[in-house]
Amino acid sequence: MNQNNSKLIRINKYISNSGICSRREADKLILKGKVYINNKKIKTLGIKISNQDVVKIDGRVISIEKKEYLLLNKPKNFITTLDDPENRKTVKDLIKGATKKRLFPVGRLDRNTTGLLIFTNDGDLSKKLTHPSYKIKKIYHITIDKPIELNDYKTIQNGFQLDGDEIKVDRIAIIDENKKNIGLEIHIGKNRIVRRIFEHFNYDVKKLDRVMIGPITKKNLKRGDWRFLKDSEIRLLKNFSWD
């Protein structure tokens, strides 16, 4: 390892920046002995390297990629994965040909949920957008099968227990007269959390649409379409805070 270069980077961050996997997964690869630096196997975490060092994983040289950020307005009936053994339609099909780089979806939207989904090879930003400690809020538009009861509305608003966890939303609002369309602002990242909230109160979620991630909205992006984020939007995401 070249320790004379002033621009040193931890090996797990280097691997993450290459778009291979997250830092945590990179640490697992190191401990399994799959990572080589300058043709020497390493199994020690925290090693720092420079741009002159050659890193290989499973015999393949990796390098730090230019970061790319893509926004998809996901339609129904596509699952959030890059590969599916059952050959179902995936979000990868929707962005096919967008880039030669391997971009990963940030978080998940279940098969019947529509709306905003970000793809990137930036592991640091992905962590910021998904980990609840960063408090990146998401806004959803929910359509339920019957008018929401006032008591249920207030309980969701004030916080409640769900499967042993304390659930606290950031904001809830009724957005139509029949009280079947609800706006929900939340930063909790638990699996299917929005659907589970309403199912807990015996409502059937007919439609679920993510309309905002941090400061990013669906404006001018049709369902099923994608676009690359602007530099100004990337800066907003990286520096965004609700505090």
Side-chain angles (χ1 to χ4, degrees), residues 74-108:
K74 177 188 170 299
K76 288 180 67 174
N77 298 320
F78 286 82
I79 60 173
T80 307
T81 185
L82 298 182
D83 301 290
D84 181 56
E86 299 178 30
N87 292 319
R88 293 171 295 180
K89 294 187 292 186
T90 74
V91 291
K92 182 180 178 180
D93 300 325
L94 296 168
I95 64 168
K96 187 176 182 181
T99 178
K100 293 182 179 180
K101 292 182 173 62
R102 185 170 172 83
L103 304 185
F104 297 87
V106 178
R108 303 180 71 86

PDB file of all heavy atoms in Angstrom, residues 74-108:
ATOM      1  N   LYS A  74     -41.662   5.038 -10.601  1.00  0.00           N
ATOM      2  CA  LYS A  74     -41.981   3.616 -10.747  1.00  0.00           C
ATOM      3  C   LYS A  74     -43.489   3.376 -10.932  1.00  0.00           C
ATOM      4  O   LYS A  74     -44.303   3.865 -10.154  1.00  0.00           O
ATOM      5  CB  LYS A  74     -41.496   2.855  -9.507  1.00  0.00           C
ATOM      6  CG  LYS A  74     -41.841   1.370  -9.502  1.00  0.00           C
ATOM      7  CD  LYS A  74     -41.502   0.747  -8.160  1.00  0.00           C
ATOM      8  CE  LYS A  74     -42.047  -0.657  -8.007  1.00  0.00           C
ATOM      9  NZ  LYS A  74     -43.514  -0.737  -8.080  1.00  0.00           N
ATOM     10  N   PRO A  75     -43.854   2.566 -11.920  1.00  0.00           N
ATOM     11  CA  PRO A  75     -45.256   2.141 -12.059  1.00  0.00           C
ATOM     12  C   PRO A  75     -45.525   0.876 -11.231  1.00  0.00           C
ATOM     13  O   PRO A  75     -44.609   0.310 -10.630  1.00  0.00           O
ATOM     14  CB  PRO A  75     -45.379   1.841 -13.557  1.00  0.00           C
ATOM     15  CG  PRO A  75     -44.001   1.457 -13.983  1.00  0.00           C
ATOM     16  CD  PRO A  75     -43.034   2.145 -13.058  1.00  0.00           C
ATOM     17  N   LYS A  76     -46.767   0.433 -11.209  1.00  0.00           N
ATOM     18  CA  LYS A  76     -47.129  -0.800 -10.517  1.00  0.00           C
ATOM     19  C   LYS A  76     -46.570  -2.014 -11.270  1.00  0.00           C
ATOM     20  O   LYS A  76     -46.182  -1.936 -12.421  1.00  0.00           O
ATOM     21  CB  LYS A  76     -48.658  -0.935 -10.397  1.00  0.00           C
ATOM     22  CG  LYS A  76     -49.299   0.012  -9.417  1.00  0.00           C
ATOM     23  CD  LYS A  76     -50.809  -0.173  -9.363  1.00  0.00           C
ATOM     24  CE  LYS A  76     -51.183  -1.523  -8.786  1.00  0.00           C
ATOM     25  NZ  LYS A  76     -52.648  -1.660  -8.584  1.00  0.00           N
ATOM     26  N   ASN A  77     -46.557  -3.144 -10.544  1.00  0.00           N
ATOM     27  CA  ASN A  77     -46.223  -4.447 -11.114  1.00  0.00           C
ATOM     28  C   ASN A  77     -44.760  -4.608 -11.510  1.00  0.00           C
ATOM     29  O   ASN A  77     -44.420  -5.456 -12.344  1.00  0.00           O
ATOM     30  CB  ASN A  77     -47.126  -4.762 -12.316  1.00  0.00           C
ATOM     31  CG  ASN A  77     -48.589  -4.846 -11.907  1.00  0.00           C
ATOM     32  OD1 ASN A  77     -48.911  -5.383 -10.852  1.00  0.00           O
ATOM     33  ND2 ASN A  77     -49.470  -4.285 -12.730  1.00  0.00           N
ATOM     34  N   PHE A  78     -43.890  -3.791 -10.913  1.00  0.00           N
ATOM     35  CA  PHE A  78     -42.446  -3.976 -11.072  1.00  0.00           C
ATOM     36  C   PHE A  78     -41.848  -4.123  -9.676  1.00  0.00           C
ATOM     37  O   PHE A  78     -42.180  -3.361  -8.768  1.00  0.00           O
ATOM     38  CB  PHE A  78     -41.802  -2.782 -11.777  1.00  0.00           C
ATOM     39  CG  PHE A  78     -42.088  -2.727 -13.247  1.00  0.00           C
ATOM     40  CD1 PHE A  78     -43.279  -2.190 -13.716  1.00  0.00           C
ATOM     41  CD2 PHE A  78     -41.173  -3.225 -14.166  1.00  0.00           C
ATOM     42  CE1 PHE A  78     -43.559  -2.133 -15.073  1.00  0.00           C
ATOM     43  CE2 PHE A  78     -41.440  -3.171 -15.527  1.00  0.00           C
ATOM     44  CZ  PHE A  78     -42.634  -2.631 -15.985  1.00  0.00           C
ATOM     45  N   ILE A  79     -40.981  -5.104  -9.500  1.00  0.00           N
ATOM     46  CA  ILE A  79     -40.390  -5.308  -8.183  1.00  0.00           C
ATOM     47  C   ILE A  79     -39.033  -4.601  -8.109  1.00  0.00           C
ATOM     48  O   ILE A  79     -38.342  -4.459  -9.115  1.00  0.00           O
ATOM     49  CB  ILE A  79     -40.246  -6.802  -7.832  1.00  0.00           C
ATOM     50  CG1 ILE A  79     -39.352  -7.525  -8.836  1.00  0.00           C
ATOM     51  CG2 ILE A  79     -41.611  -7.465  -7.758  1.00  0.00           C
ATOM     52  CD1 ILE A  79     -39.051  -8.961  -8.443  1.00  0.00           C
ATOM     53  N   THR A  80     -38.690  -4.159  -6.902  1.00  0.00           N
ATOM     54  CA  THR A  80     -37.466  -3.391  -6.711  1.00  0.00           C
ATOM     55  C   THR A  80     -36.296  -4.330  -6.442  1.00  0.00           C
ATOM     56  O   THR A  80     -35.909  -4.573  -5.297  1.00  0.00           O
ATOM     57  CB  THR A  80     -37.623  -2.379  -5.561  1.00  0.00           C
ATOM     58  OG1 THR A  80     -38.782  -1.583  -5.797  1.00  0.00           O
ATOM     59  CG2 THR A  80     -36.406  -1.460  -5.466  1.00  0.00           C
ATOM     60  N   THR A  81     -35.770  -4.861  -7.507  1.00  0.00           N
ATOM     61  CA  THR A  81     -34.565  -5.691  -7.457  1.00  0.00           C
ATOM     62  C   THR A  81     -33.912  -5.625  -8.826  1.00  0.00           C
ATOM     63  O   THR A  81     -34.563  -5.258  -9.821  1.00  0.00           O
ATOM     64  CB  THR A  81     -34.904  -7.147  -7.084  1.00  0.00           C
ATOM     65  OG1 THR A  81     -33.701  -7.892  -6.935  1.00  0.00           O
ATOM     66  CG2 THR A  81     -35.760  -7.814  -8.155  1.00  0.00           C
ATOM     67  N   LEU A  82     -32.643  -5.965  -8.891  1.00  0.00           N
ATOM     68  CA  LEU A  82     -31.950  -5.948 -10.178  1.00  0.00           C
ATOM     69  C   LEU A  82     -31.997  -7.295 -10.874  1.00  0.00           C
ATOM     70  O   LEU A  82     -31.858  -7.380 -12.094  1.00  0.00           O
ATOM     71  CB  LEU A  82     -30.493  -5.512  -9.986  1.00  0.00           C
ATOM     72  CG  LEU A  82     -30.294  -4.097  -9.417  1.00  0.00           C
ATOM     73  CD1 LEU A  82     -28.808  -3.778  -9.328  1.00  0.00           C
ATOM     74  CD2 LEU A  82     -31.012  -3.055 -10.267  1.00  0.00           C
ATOM     75  N   ASP A  83     -32.194  -8.347 -10.098  1.00  0.00           N
ATOM     76  CA  ASP A  83     -32.264  -9.698 -10.665  1.00  0.00           C
ATOM     77  C   ASP A  83     -33.351 -10.470  -9.940  1.00  0.00           C
ATOM     78  O   ASP A  83     -33.433 -10.450  -8.716  1.00  0.00           O
ATOM     79  CB  ASP A  83     -30.918 -10.413 -10.508  1.00  0.00           C
ATOM     80  CG  ASP A  83     -29.781  -9.670 -11.194  1.00  0.00           C
ATOM     81  OD1 ASP A  83     -29.758  -9.650 -12.439  1.00  0.00           O
ATOM     82  OD2 ASP A  83     -28.936  -9.110 -10.471  1.00  0.00           O
ATOM     83  N   ASP A  84     -34.179 -11.162 -10.702  1.00  0.00           N
ATOM     84  CA  ASP A  84     -35.269 -11.927 -10.101  1.00  0.00           C
ATOM     85  C   ASP A  84     -35.267 -13.348 -10.657  1.00  0.00           C
ATOM     86  O   ASP A  84     -35.432 -13.542 -11.870  1.00  0.00           O
ATOM     87  CB  ASP A  84     -36.624 -11.260 -10.384  1.00  0.00           C
ATOM     88  CG  ASP A  84     -37.764 -12.029  -9.755  1.00  0.00           C
ATOM     89  OD1 ASP A  84     -37.723 -12.238  -8.528  1.00  0.00           O
ATOM     90  OD2 ASP A  84     -38.680 -12.448 -10.485  1.00  0.00           O
ATOM     91  N   PRO A  85     -35.095 -14.348  -9.791  1.00  0.00           N
ATOM     92  CA  PRO A  85     -35.055 -15.740 -10.263  1.00  0.00           C
ATOM     93  C   PRO A  85     -36.368 -16.210 -10.869  1.00  0.00           C
ATOM     94  O   PRO A  85     -36.388 -17.192 -11.618  1.00  0.00           O
ATOM     95  CB  PRO A  85     -34.705 -16.538  -8.998  1.00  0.00           C
ATOM     96  CG  PRO A  85     -35.080 -15.648  -7.857  1.00  0.00           C
ATOM     97  CD  PRO A  85     -34.855 -14.249  -8.332  1.00  0.00           C
ATOM     98  N   GLU A  86     -37.454 -15.516 -10.546  1.00  0.00           N
ATOM     99  CA  GLU A  86     -38.759 -15.909 -11.092  1.00  0.00           C
ATOM    100  C   GLU A  86     -39.079 -15.194 -12.401  1.00  0.00           C
ATOM    101  O   GLU A  86     -40.176 -15.331 -12.945  1.00  0.00           O
ATOM    102  CB  GLU A  86     -39.856 -15.621 -10.064  1.00  0.00           C
ATOM    103  CG  GLU A  86     -39.683 -16.386  -8.757  1.00  0.00           C
ATOM    104  CD  GLU A  86     -40.757 -16.055  -7.741  1.00  0.00           C
ATOM    105  OE1 GLU A  86     -41.892 -15.727  -8.154  1.00  0.00           O
ATOM    106  OE2 GLU A  86     -40.460 -16.107  -6.539  1.00  0.00           O
ATOM    107  N   ASN A  87     -38.121 -14.396 -12.884  1.00  0.00           N
ATOM    108  CA  ASN A  87     -38.276 -13.677 -14.157  1.00  0.00           C
ATOM    109  C   ASN A  87     -39.469 -12.727 -14.181  1.00  0.00           C
ATOM    110  O   ASN A  87     -40.093 -12.523 -15.230  1.00  0.00           O
ATOM    111  CB  ASN A  87     -38.370 -14.670 -15.329  1.00  0.00           C
ATOM    112  CG  ASN A  87     -37.061 -15.399 -15.573  1.00  0.00           C
ATOM    113  OD1 ASN A  87     -35.987 -14.807 -15.505  1.00  0.00           O
ATOM    114  ND2 ASN A  87     -37.153 -16.689 -15.847  1.00  0.00           N
ATOM    115  N   ARG A  88     -39.768 -12.139 -13.014  1.00  0.00           N
ATOM    116  CA  ARG A  88     -40.804 -11.111 -12.981  1.00  0.00           C
ATOM    117  C   ARG A  88     -40.229  -9.781 -13.470  1.00  0.00           C
ATOM    118  O   ARG A  88     -39.017  -9.602 -13.543  1.00  0.00           O
ATOM    119  CB  ARG A  88     -41.348 -10.953 -11.556  1.00  0.00           C
ATOM    120  CG  ARG A  88     -42.113 -12.164 -11.052  1.00  0.00           C
ATOM    121  CD  ARG A  88     -42.435 -12.043  -9.574  1.00  0.00           C
ATOM    122  NE  ARG A  88     -41.221 -12.044  -8.745  1.00  0.00           N
ATOM    123  CZ  ARG A  88     -41.230 -11.953  -7.420  1.00  0.00           C
ATOM    124  NH1 ARG A  88     -42.377 -11.808  -6.775  1.00  0.00           N
ATOM    125  NH2 ARG A  88     -40.089 -11.970  -6.752  1.00  0.00           N
ATOM    126  N   LYS A  89     -41.108  -8.846 -13.791  1.00  0.00           N
ATOM    127  CA  LYS A  89     -40.660  -7.535 -14.250  1.00  0.00           C
ATOM    128  C   LYS A  89     -39.995  -6.797 -13.091  1.00  0.00           C
ATOM    129  O   LYS A  89     -40.533  -6.759 -11.988  1.00  0.00           O
ATOM    130  CB  LYS A  89     -41.836  -6.729 -14.795  1.00  0.00           C
ATOM    131  CG  LYS A  89     -42.449  -7.300 -16.056  1.00  0.00           C
ATOM    132  CD  LYS A  89     -43.499  -6.391 -16.653  1.00  0.00           C
ATOM    133  CE  LYS A  89     -44.728  -6.294 -15.772  1.00  0.00           C
ATOM    134  NZ  LYS A  89     -45.812  -5.509 -16.420  1.00  0.00           N
ATOM    135  N   THR A  90     -38.814  -6.223 -13.343  1.00  0.00           N
ATOM    136  CA  THR A  90     -38.086  -5.516 -12.305  1.00  0.00           C
ATOM    137  C   THR A  90     -37.844  -4.068 -12.720  1.00  0.00           C
ATOM    138  O   THR A  90     -37.951  -3.704 -13.898  1.00  0.00           O
ATOM    139  CB  THR A  90     -36.725  -6.180 -12.013  1.00  0.00           C
ATOM    140  OG1 THR A  90     -35.825  -5.891 -13.094  1.00  0.00           O
ATOM    141  CG2 THR A  90     -36.872  -7.683 -11.853  1.00  0.00           C
ATOM    142  N   VAL A  91     -37.461  -3.244 -11.732  1.00  0.00           N
ATOM    143  CA  VAL A  91     -37.166  -1.843 -12.028  1.00  0.00           C
ATOM    144  C   VAL A  91     -35.958  -1.714 -12.952  1.00  0.00           C
ATOM    145  O   VAL A  91     -35.810  -0.708 -13.651  1.00  0.00           O
ATOM    146  CB  VAL A  91     -36.934  -1.047 -10.729  1.00  0.00           C
ATOM    147  CG1 VAL A  91     -38.231  -0.904  -9.950  1.00  0.00           C
ATOM    148  CG2 VAL A  91     -35.848  -1.680  -9.861  1.00  0.00           C
ATOM    149  N   LYS A  92     -35.105  -2.732 -12.975  1.00  0.00           N
ATOM    150  CA  LYS A  92     -33.959  -2.713 -13.884  1.00  0.00           C
ATOM    151  C   LYS A  92     -34.429  -2.642 -15.332  1.00  0.00           C
ATOM    152  O   LYS A  92     -33.784  -2.002 -16.176  1.00  0.00           O
ATOM    153  CB  LYS A  92     -33.114  -3.972 -13.660  1.00  0.00           C
ATOM    154  CG  LYS A  92     -31.857  -4.046 -14.521  1.00  0.00           C
ATOM    155  CD  LYS A  92     -31.086  -5.327 -14.233  1.00  0.00           C
ATOM    156  CE  LYS A  92     -29.840  -5.445 -15.112  1.00  0.00           C
ATOM    157  NZ  LYS A  92     -29.097  -6.702 -14.836  1.00  0.00           N
ATOM    158  N   ASP A  93     -35.560  -3.302 -15.626  1.00  0.00           N
ATOM    159  CA  ASP A  93     -36.097  -3.274 -16.985  1.00  0.00           C
ATOM    160  C   ASP A  93     -36.472  -1.854 -17.416  1.00  0.00           C
ATOM    161  O   ASP A  93     -36.389  -1.503 -18.587  1.00  0.00           O
ATOM    162  CB  ASP A  93     -37.336  -4.171 -17.092  1.00  0.00           C
ATOM    163  CG  ASP A  93     -37.039  -5.617 -16.747  1.00  0.00           C
ATOM    164  OD1 ASP A  93     -35.926  -6.084 -17.059  1.00  0.00           O
ATOM    165  OD2 ASP A  93     -37.912  -6.280 -16.146  1.00  0.00           O
ATOM    166  N   LEU A  94     -36.889  -1.039 -16.436  1.00  0.00           N
ATOM    167  CA  LEU A  94     -37.364   0.310 -16.740  1.00  0.00           C
ATOM    168  C   LEU A  94     -36.235   1.286 -17.047  1.00  0.00           C
ATOM    169  O   LEU A  94     -36.455   2.298 -17.711  1.00  0.00           O
ATOM    170  CB  LEU A  94     -38.197   0.843 -15.569  1.00  0.00           C
ATOM    171  CG  LEU A  94     -39.488   0.085 -15.271  1.00  0.00           C
ATOM    172  CD1 LEU A  94     -40.067   0.505 -13.931  1.00  0.00           C
ATOM    173  CD2 LEU A  94     -40.514   0.325 -16.382  1.00  0.00           C
ATOM    174  N   ILE A  95     -35.022   1.003 -16.544  1.00  0.00           N
ATOM    175  CA  ILE A  95     -33.901   1.918 -16.784  1.00  0.00           C
ATOM    176  C   ILE A  95     -32.857   1.290 -17.708  1.00  0.00           C
ATOM    177  O   ILE A  95     -31.730   1.765 -17.785  1.00  0.00           O
ATOM    178  CB  ILE A  95     -33.250   2.355 -15.453  1.00  0.00           C
ATOM    179  CG1 ILE A  95     -32.619   1.159 -14.728  1.00  0.00           C
ATOM    180  CG2 ILE A  95     -34.272   3.049 -14.557  1.00  0.00           C
ATOM    181  CD1 ILE A  95     -31.721   1.568 -13.568  1.00  0.00           C
ATOM    182  N   LYS A  96     -33.238   0.237 -18.387  1.00  0.00           N
ATOM    183  CA  LYS A  96     -32.328  -0.457 -19.287  1.00  0.00           C
ATOM    184  C   LYS A  96     -31.773   0.506 -20.342  1.00  0.00           C
ATOM    185  O   LYS A  96     -32.518   1.246 -20.978  1.00  0.00           O
ATOM    186  CB  LYS A  96     -33.053  -1.614 -19.972  1.00  0.00           C
ATOM    187  CG  LYS A  96     -32.146  -2.506 -20.810  1.00  0.00           C
ATOM    188  CD  LYS A  96     -32.929  -3.681 -21.362  1.00  0.00           C
ATOM    189  CE  LYS A  96     -32.026  -4.607 -22.166  1.00  0.00           C
ATOM    190  NZ  LYS A  96     -32.786  -5.758 -22.727  1.00  0.00           N
ATOM    191  N   GLY A  97     -30.460   0.507 -20.507  1.00  0.00           N
ATOM    192  CA  GLY A  97     -29.829   1.361 -21.499  1.00  0.00           C
ATOM    193  C   GLY A  97     -29.525   2.768 -21.017  1.00  0.00           C
ATOM    194  O   GLY A  97     -28.931   3.566 -21.756  1.00  0.00           O
ATOM    195  N   ALA A  98     -29.920   3.088 -19.771  1.00  0.00           N
ATOM    196  CA  ALA A  98     -29.695   4.439 -19.261  1.00  0.00           C
ATOM    197  C   ALA A  98     -28.217   4.727 -19.052  1.00  0.00           C
ATOM    198  O   ALA A  98     -27.757   5.848 -19.247  1.00  0.00           O
ATOM    199  CB  ALA A  98     -30.461   4.640 -17.958  1.00  0.00           C
ATOM    200  N   THR A  99     -27.466   3.706 -18.641  1.00  0.00           N
ATOM    201  CA  THR A  99     -26.055   3.885 -18.336  1.00  0.00           C
ATOM    202  C   THR A  99     -25.344   2.541 -18.418  1.00  0.00           C
ATOM    203  O   THR A  99     -25.969   1.487 -18.297  1.00  0.00           O
ATOM    204  CB  THR A  99     -25.872   4.472 -16.916  1.00  0.00           C
ATOM    205  OG1 THR A  99     -24.470   4.588 -16.629  1.00  0.00           O
ATOM    206  CG2 THR A  99     -26.538   3.609 -15.864  1.00  0.00           C
ATOM    207  N   LYS A 100     -24.043   2.585 -18.612  1.00  0.00           N
ATOM    208  CA  LYS A 100     -23.243   1.369 -18.592  1.00  0.00           C
ATOM    209  C   LYS A 100     -22.829   0.999 -17.180  1.00  0.00           C
ATOM    210  O   LYS A 100     -22.364  -0.118 -16.927  1.00  0.00           O
ATOM    211  CB  LYS A 100     -21.999   1.543 -19.472  1.00  0.00           C
ATOM    212  CG  LYS A 100     -22.317   1.680 -20.959  1.00  0.00           C
ATOM    213  CD  LYS A 100     -21.046   1.808 -21.779  1.00  0.00           C
ATOM    214  CE  LYS A 100     -21.371   1.913 -23.269  1.00  0.00           C
ATOM    215  NZ  LYS A 100     -20.145   2.049 -24.089  1.00  0.00           N
ATOM    216  N   LYS A 101     -22.983   1.930 -16.251  1.00  0.00           N
ATOM    217  CA  LYS A 101     -22.614   1.671 -14.860  1.00  0.00           C
ATOM    218  C   LYS A 101     -23.697   0.845 -14.177  1.00  0.00           C
ATOM    219  O   LYS A 101     -24.863   0.884 -14.567  1.00  0.00           O
ATOM    220  CB  LYS A 101     -22.388   2.980 -14.118  1.00  0.00           C
ATOM    221  CG  LYS A 101     -21.156   3.750 -14.600  1.00  0.00           C
ATOM    222  CD  LYS A 101     -20.957   5.000 -13.794  1.00  0.00           C
ATOM    223  CE  LYS A 101     -19.630   5.671 -14.160  1.00  0.00           C
ATOM    224  NZ  LYS A 101     -19.577   6.082 -15.564  1.00  0.00           N
ATOM    225  N   ARG A 102     -23.310   0.127 -13.137  1.00  0.00           N
ATOM    226  CA  ARG A 102     -24.257  -0.672 -12.368  1.00  0.00           C
ATOM    227  C   ARG A 102     -24.793   0.188 -11.229  1.00  0.00           C
ATOM    228  O   ARG A 102     -24.098   0.434 -10.238  1.00  0.00           O
ATOM    229  CB  ARG A 102     -23.586  -1.939 -11.828  1.00  0.00           C
ATOM    230  CG  ARG A 102     -24.534  -2.888 -11.111  1.00  0.00           C
ATOM    231  CD  ARG A 102     -23.850  -4.210 -10.842  1.00  0.00           C
ATOM    232  NE  ARG A 102     -24.642  -5.100 -10.005  1.00  0.00           N
ATOM    233  CZ  ARG A 102     -25.608  -5.893 -10.436  1.00  0.00           C
ATOM    234  NH1 ARG A 102     -25.928  -5.897 -11.725  1.00  0.00           N
ATOM    235  NH2 ARG A 102     -26.260  -6.690  -9.612  1.00  0.00           N
ATOM    236  N   LEU A 103     -26.017   0.651 -11.400  1.00  0.00           N
ATOM    237  CA  LEU A 103     -26.660   1.482 -10.386  1.00  0.00           C
ATOM    238  C   LEU A 103     -27.588   0.626  -9.534  1.00  0.00           C
ATOM    239  O   LEU A 103     -28.227  -0.302 -10.044  1.00  0.00           O
ATOM    240  CB  LEU A 103     -27.451   2.617 -11.035  1.00  0.00           C
ATOM    241  CG  LEU A 103     -26.690   3.545 -11.988  1.00  0.00           C
ATOM    242  CD1 LEU A 103     -27.600   4.680 -12.439  1.00  0.00           C
ATOM    243  CD2 LEU A 103     -25.427   4.085 -11.359  1.00  0.00           C
ATOM    244  N   PHE A 104     -27.668   0.963  -8.269  1.00  0.00           N
ATOM    245  CA  PHE A 104     -28.490   0.205  -7.333  1.00  0.00           C
ATOM    246  C   PHE A 104     -29.655   1.057  -6.835  1.00  0.00           C
ATOM    247  O   PHE A 104     -29.486   2.251  -6.576  1.00  0.00           O
ATOM    248  CB  PHE A 104     -27.648  -0.256  -6.130  1.00  0.00           C
ATOM    249  CG  PHE A 104     -26.541  -1.194  -6.490  1.00  0.00           C
ATOM    250  CD1 PHE A 104     -25.296  -0.715  -6.886  1.00  0.00           C
ATOM    251  CD2 PHE A 104     -26.748  -2.567  -6.459  1.00  0.00           C
ATOM    252  CE1 PHE A 104     -24.269  -1.589  -7.228  1.00  0.00           C
ATOM    253  CE2 PHE A 104     -25.726  -3.449  -6.805  1.00  0.00           C
ATOM    254  CZ  PHE A 104     -24.496  -2.956  -7.187  1.00  0.00           C
ATOM    255  N   PRO A 105     -30.835   0.452  -6.695  1.00  0.00           N
ATOM    256  CA  PRO A 105     -31.963   1.224  -6.137  1.00  0.00           C
ATOM    257  C   PRO A 105     -31.716   1.557  -4.677  1.00  0.00           C
ATOM    258  O   PRO A 105     -31.178   0.753  -3.922  1.00  0.00           O
ATOM    259  CB  PRO A 105     -33.151   0.268  -6.298  1.00  0.00           C
ATOM    260  CG  PRO A 105     -32.551  -1.098  -6.405  1.00  0.00           C
ATOM    261  CD  PRO A 105     -31.209  -0.929  -7.037  1.00  0.00           C
ATOM    262  N   VAL A 106     -32.100   2.759  -4.292  1.00  0.00           N
ATOM    263  CA  VAL A 106     -31.948   3.220  -2.910  1.00  0.00           C
ATOM    264  C   VAL A 106     -33.245   2.898  -2.163  1.00  0.00           C
ATOM    265  O   VAL A 106     -34.280   3.504  -2.416  1.00  0.00           O
ATOM    266  CB  VAL A 106     -31.660   4.728  -2.856  1.00  0.00           C
ATOM    267  CG1 VAL A 106     -31.550   5.197  -1.411  1.00  0.00           C
ATOM    268  CG2 VAL A 106     -30.379   5.040  -3.628  1.00  0.00           C
ATOM    269  N   GLY A 107     -33.181   1.927  -1.257  1.00  0.00           N
ATOM    270  CA  GLY A 107     -34.396   1.493  -0.580  1.00  0.00           C
ATOM    271  C   GLY A 107     -35.263   0.665  -1.512  1.00  0.00           C
ATOM    272  O   GLY A 107     -34.812   0.204  -2.574  1.00  0.00           O
ATOM    273  N   ARG A 108     -36.518   0.482  -1.112  1.00  0.00           N
ATOM    274  CA  ARG A 108     -37.406  -0.369  -1.890  1.00  0.00           C
ATOM    275  C   ARG A 108     -38.806   0.237  -1.970  1.00  0.00           C
ATOM    276  O   ARG A 108     -39.244   0.943  -1.063  1.00  0.00           O
ATOM    277  CB  ARG A 108     -37.528  -1.761  -1.247  1.00  0.00           C
ATOM    278  CG  ARG A 108     -36.221  -2.479  -1.050  1.00  0.00           C
ATOM    279  CD  ARG A 108     -36.415  -3.831  -0.430  1.00  0.00           C
ATOM    280  NE  ARG A 108     -37.024  -4.772  -1.371  1.00  0.00           N
ATOM    281  CZ  ARG A 108     -36.333  -5.489  -2.249  1.00  0.00           C
ATOM    282  NH1 ARG A 108     -35.031  -5.379  -2.310  1.00  0.00           N
ATOM    283  NH2 ARG A 108     -36.930  -6.330  -3.059  1.00  0.00           N
TER     284      ARG A 108
END
